[in-house]
Amino acid sequence: MSTSEVMVVKVLASDSKQGEKEFQTEVILLGRPHHRNLVNLVGYCGDKGQHMLVYEYMSNLGHCLPSPDKPDVKFGEKL
């Protein structure tokens, strides 16, 4: 990974209903080799109650990601 690559970080909220088992399952499934059109898991953190997943940024999915300058995309619009 070069220093100029753009990454996306998914942080699990502290009040999330997703538990440790679900987080570990997500890491295992996303860590497997998969289709070229799916995001790649670059890394993760599961220490001291912090749960974060780091993905490779895919520019063709940028319109689906929330940002401060636009409202969150509704589920039906993502399909």
Side-chain angles (χ1 to χ4, degrees):
M1 177 171 76
S2 73
T3 57
S4 63
E5 286 186 69
V6 179
M7 300 290 143
V8 175
V9 179
K10 175 184 172 184
V11 180
L12 185 66
S14 59
D15 61 347
S16 173
K17 295 188 190 312
Q18 182 177 358
E20 184 68 31
K21 182 178 178 182
E22 291 84 1
F23 176 78
Q24 292 298 332
T25 300
E26 190 171 357
V27 169
I28 290 167
L29 290 175
L30 293 173
R32 294 179 181 168
H34 52 278
H35 195 274
R36 63 184 171 90
N37 290 336
L38 297 176
V39 294
N40 292 321
L41 180 66
V42 177
Y44 68 95
C45 173
D47 294 337
K48 299 179 185 172
Q50 298 272 338
H51 291 97
M52 294 179 263
L53 299 171
V54 181
Y55 298 99
E56 177 182 8
Y57 176 75
M58 293 180 72
S59 60
N60 61 338
L61 293 177
H63 67 281
C64 294
L65 299 173
S67 69
D69 60 334
K70 65 179 182 177
D72 192 20
V73 180
K74 303 292 182 244
F75 179 75
E77 295 173 12
K78 293 180 183 180
L79 299 177

